[in-house]
Amino acid sequence: MGYLKRSTNESVGPSASILRQSIPHLGIFMKESAVVSDESGSSGDKESVSSVDKTQACTKGSKFAFTCSLIRALSNQKNPAVFFIDDLQWADPASLELVQQIAEDRDIHYRLCDICYRDDEALASQVPNMLKVMEGRGFSVQTIKLGPIERESANT
């Protein structure tokens, strides 16, 4: 657990306090950090986030860099990150961009993204286009096309 805490803190850097406040349960993967004063100068038992931390978190490259840093820190050969994303045909453009960023981040070495979508849905055209772009960039994309389940195969 010490490795995860050290790796997580190193990956997210000064944005660790934002992460701890946003997702409190991730505290088990992070070292305790010092209390940071907010803009009013007050500090207390609960960790506060300064405007400097917020700025640093938002300006590190892409808008999803923070998420990818966390995934890099938490995944390793012994504990790879596995993402199963269902019904991706309903995803908004920002969610599709996040999925693509996670799948394409070459610094996340131990991850598997399993993406499921219905190609007959109205918005599904965005997903095959995203996969074509990823394949064009040299990423392995395997497609398994499933047909409808036959009535006798369904458990009724």
Side-chain angles (χ1 to χ4, degrees):
M1 192 61 94
Y3 168 78
L4 278 178
K5 287 183 178 186
R6 187 172 46 258
S7 178
T8 303
N9 278 48
E10 288 172 4
S11 293
V12 299
S15 302
S17 59
I18 295 171
L19 183 61
R20 289 180 61 89
Q21 286 186 346
S22 301
I23 310 168
H25 286 92
L26 285 177
I28 63 172
F29 298 111
M30 302 176 71
K31 289 181 181 178
E32 289 293 327
S33 56
V35 174
V36 179
S37 298
D38 62 16
E39 293 171 21
S40 66
S42 66
S43 63
D45 296 333
K46 194 169 182 181
E47 191 174 29
S48 302
V49 180
S50 70
S51 58
V52 175
D53 286 340
K54 291 177 187 174
T55 303
Q56 288 173 340
C58 297
T59 58
K60 282 189 164 186
S62 89
K63 59 185 165 188
F64 301 117
F66 187 72
T67 303
C68 290
S69 292
L70 177 63
I71 294 167
R72 269 184 239 115
L74 295 176
S75 61
N76 56 50
Q77 188 172 11
K78 190 174 178 180
N79 300 298
V82 178
F83 298 92
F84 178 78
I85 304 166
D86 196 12
D87 289 332
L88 196 60
Q89 74 275 4
W90 300 117
D92 63 353
S95 297
L96 285 173
E97 188 179 347
L98 173 61
V99 169
Q100 186 172 354
Q101 181 94 24
I102 291 170
E104 289 186 346
D105 189 320
R106 294 190 188 272
D107 292 327
I108 302 174
H109 300 290
Y110 303 102
R111 57 116 191 314
L112 170 69
C113 295
D114 189 355
I115 299 169
C116 299
Y117 67 96
R118 297 178 193 174
D119 58 2
D120 60 343
E121 296 291 337
L123 299 175
S125 63
Q126 296 174 348
V127 179
N129 290 340
M130 178 186 77
L131 296 174
K132 284 179 189 173
V133 167
M134 291 170 59
E135 197 168 29
R137 292 180 180 162
F139 291 90
S140 175
V141 175
Q142 296 178 1
T143 303
I144 302 171
K145 190 159 180 120
L146 303 176
I149 298 174
E150 297 177 11
R151 187 163 195 71
E152 58 271 0
S153 299
N155 186 9
T156 56

